[in-house]
Amino acid sequence: MQPSELTIAEAARQIEQRALSPVDLVQSALDRIAEVEDRLNAFVVVTADQALEAARQAEQEITGGGYRGPLHGIPVGIKDLYDVAGLPTTSSSAVRSDHRATEDSACVARLRDAGAVVVGKTHTHEFAYGVLTPTTRNPWDTGRVPGGSSGGSGAAVAAGECLVGMGTDTGGSIRIPSSVCGTVGLKPTFGRVSRYGITSLCWSLDHAGPLTRTVRDAALSLQVLAGFDARDPGSAKEPVPDYTADLDAGVRGLTLGVPTNYFFDDVDPEVESAVREAIGVLEAQGATLRDVEIPYADQMMAVEFGVLVPEASAYHQEMLRHSGEKYTEDVRVFLDAGETVLATQYIKALRVRTLVQQAFRRAFEGIDALVCPTLPAAAAAVGQRTFTFPGGREKAVIDAWVGHSAPGNVTGLPALSVPCGFTSGGLPIGLQVIGRPFDEGGVLRVGQAYETATDWGSRRPPL
């Protein structure tokens, strides 16, 4: 096994014990990037020289007794919405091809303070406004998309190019690529992780979080990323617990909600079978299952896009006027559409969102977490525009995928995607765990219990 194939927890243990050099680990990740990038194109830019210098500095610190913790010396990929001082923040768009960051975003600063090593910037669907990441390919099948908008980070982590990739999630953009690339993806509660220094898509729905190989790695990453930041108006003054304290406590005694509507309405049979089997595994470990009706199911997508589309167009209004021809066609169409949304329609969407949030709060009074499919279908083929579900019902890829992830954004609740199987064609399937506000620890605990009982997360793409 090459060092780049290790999990964060495994690599951290070896680094702390001086059995693995951060330089060797980072070099292994860079070697893997050189080996597969011509087929994946997960990275916008690779910062090899700077990464190796940072790895040498980490090694000197650790040798001198200055070990900072589990992320010290760990190679990370940063989604190209995050500012990294001295590097371009292009948002994978020609519109910002000349933009260069002068300081680190809050998340990158926290990662660096923990000793993590940035190996490069990963591709996003342009300005995070999509679910495909067209520039990048899926490591399980390079004829398929890696999901989006954090597709570069999802592909990079799955392929072993870095041990953690940073993503953002406005309509599912952490969980979608995690599900279709077979990684763990954590969207924390709204306000848990600072978005300072991250290019916005929709400020009231944007979340930042990690994509990793294991649930424990997600917990270790969140430990570094979480915390109040006055520079982010949406940041919450909530205490940050130890996310590993109850990670292995299991699910015995927990009550897990299983949706009776919405999440299983239009789902590929292979996905439904894998997810229901995963829920059965949790029940066999001692969890109590309870049927839950998803409130306002018929309003979920209207609220998601009713808020997202006008907020995104407001953010891009000036750039659209001056550089409209530089946007890709699909993003330009959404931005133009946002210009036609009335203020009254936007306000109505905000009001309904409040009703949805209140209804979900009531629904969670009798359960510890909700378990359901992350997505209704596995990775789409490059160029594929629709999925066909049982009964002949056809949905656009974006509607099908965002439909399953949007509840986590509309409510702001923490949500985790964990690998739970594969289709007959060898494509990953994800189990989604949604929790109470700021109960990332509970969500991670459920994910850890499932991951420990199965081996899906240990499989690697045949790239």
Side-chain angles (χ1 to χ4, degrees), residues 62-103:
I62 294 166
T63 301
Y67 181 65
R68 302 189 198 181
L71 264 64
H72 204 170
I74 300 298
V76 303
I78 306 296
K79 184 178 182 177
D80 196 27
L81 295 183
Y82 290 72
D83 282 348
V84 177
L87 295 182
T89 306
T90 71
S91 305
S92 292
S93 175
V95 177
R96 300 190 75 190
S97 60
D98 59 350
H99 180 277
R100 189 169 291 271
T102 57
E103 66 173 327

Side-chain angles (χ1 to χ4, degrees), residues 38 172 194 293 335 343 356 397:
D38 62 333
S194 174
E293 182 177 356
L335 292 173
V356 173
V397 172

Side-chain angles (χ1 to χ4, degrees), residues 6-373:
L6 297 170
T7 67
I8 293 175
E10 291 167 342
R13 191 178 308 114
Q14 293 187 29
I15 287 173
E16 185 178 16
Q17 295 172 351
R18 316 287 173 82
L20 174 64
S21 160
V23 176
D24 291 340
L25 176 59
V26 170
Q27 185 62 63
S28 179
L30 293 171
D31 290 344
R32 181 61 172 167
I33 291 171
E35 179 185 0
V36 301
E37 264 301 279
D38 62 333
R39 286 166 284 168
L40 285 190
N41 194 33
F43 281 86
V44 178
V45 60
V46 178
T47 55
D49 292 342
Q50 298 97 313
L52 287 171
E53 178 57 34
R56 285 190 284 269
Q57 180 179 339
E59 184 168 23
Q60 291 174 0
E61 291 173 350
I62 294 166
T63 301
Y67 181 65
R68 302 189 198 181
L71 264 64
H72 204 170
I74 300 298
V76 303
I78 306 296
K79 184 178 182 177
D80 196 27
L81 295 183
Y82 290 72
D83 282 348
V84 177
L87 295 182
T89 306
T90 71
S91 305
S92 292
S93 175
V95 177
R96 300 190 75 190
S97 60
D98 59 350
H99 180 277
R100 189 169 291 271
T102 57
E103 66 173 327
D104 286 338
S105 58
C107 285
V108 171
R110 286 176 180 264
L111 289 167
R112 288 196 201 271
D113 287 346
V117 177
V118 175
V119 294
K121 304 285 293 291
T122 57
H123 272 296
T124 172
H125 200 120
E126 184 180 35
F127 285 108
Y129 214 162
V131 298
L132 305 178
T133 317
T135 48
T136 305
R137 293 293 179 262
N138 192 309
W140 291 93
D141 179 349
T142 54
R144 295 183 180 269
V145 300
S149 63
S150 309
S153 289
V157 172
E161 296 180 296
C162 56
L163 273 61
V164 56
M166 290 305 301
T168 61
D169 195 312
T170 307
S173 293
I174 289 172
R175 292 159 290 154
I176 291 170
S178 290
S179 184
V180 302
C181 289
T183 73
V184 171
L186 175 62
K187 182 198 78 64
T189 308
F190 184 82
R192 175 60 92 185
V193 174
S194 174
R195 301 163 302 171
Y196 177 78
I198 300 175
T199 302
S200 177
L201 174 58
C202 170
W203 83 268
S204 68
L205 295 174
D206 290 342
H207 301 67
L211 296 86
T212 60
R213 292 182 189 157
T214 68
V215 174
R216 185 173 299 278
D217 286 1
L220 294 173
S221 300
L222 183 62
Q223 199 69 57
V224 167
L225 297 166
F228 175 70
D229 182 358
R231 297 170 298 178
D232 176 1
S235 187
K237 291 183 178 180
E238 290 286 332
V240 178
D242 180 351
Y243 292 114
T244 62
D246 295 321
L247 193 60
D248 295 308
V251 292
R252 186 169 300 280
L254 298 185
T255 299
L256 304 180
V258 181
T260 59
N261 65 325
Y262 192 74
F263 283 104
F264 289 103
D265 288 350
D266 288 306
V267 179
D268 180 274
E270 288 188 307
V271 171
E272 178 168 1
S273 176
V275 171
R276 291 202 183 277
E277 184 174 336
I279 293 171
V281 170
L282 292 168
E283 183 179 28
Q285 290 183 292
T288 299
L289 304 184
R290 177 177 295 177
D291 288 344
V292 174
E293 182 177 356
I294 301 301
Y296 290 95
D298 60 335
Q299 298 293 317
M300 203 67 68
M301 289 291 278
V303 173
E304 170 72 23
F305 285 108
V307 175
L308 189 160
V309 172
E311 284 196 17
S313 294
Y315 177 83
H316 282 268
Q317 191 171 59
E318 185 175 345
M319 288 187 288
L320 197 61
R321 298 288 186 272
H322 294 143
S323 306
E325 76 285 351
K326 294 183 180 181
Y327 287 87
T328 56
E329 183 180 356
D330 64 323
V331 172
R332 175 65 189 265
V333 167
F334 274 118
L335 292 173
D336 285 342
E339 299 269 11
T340 69
V341 178
L342 299 177
T344 51
Q345 294 171 315
Y346 173 64
I347 296 301
K348 286 180 180 178
L350 293 177
R351 292 177 66 186
V352 177
R353 179 173 67 175
T354 299
L355 295 176
V356 173
Q357 291 169 335
Q358 292 171 342
F360 263 78
R361 200 169 293 125
R362 290 191 298 271
F364 268 80
E365 287 176 357
I367 62 173
D368 295 292
L370 190 74
V371 286
C372 56

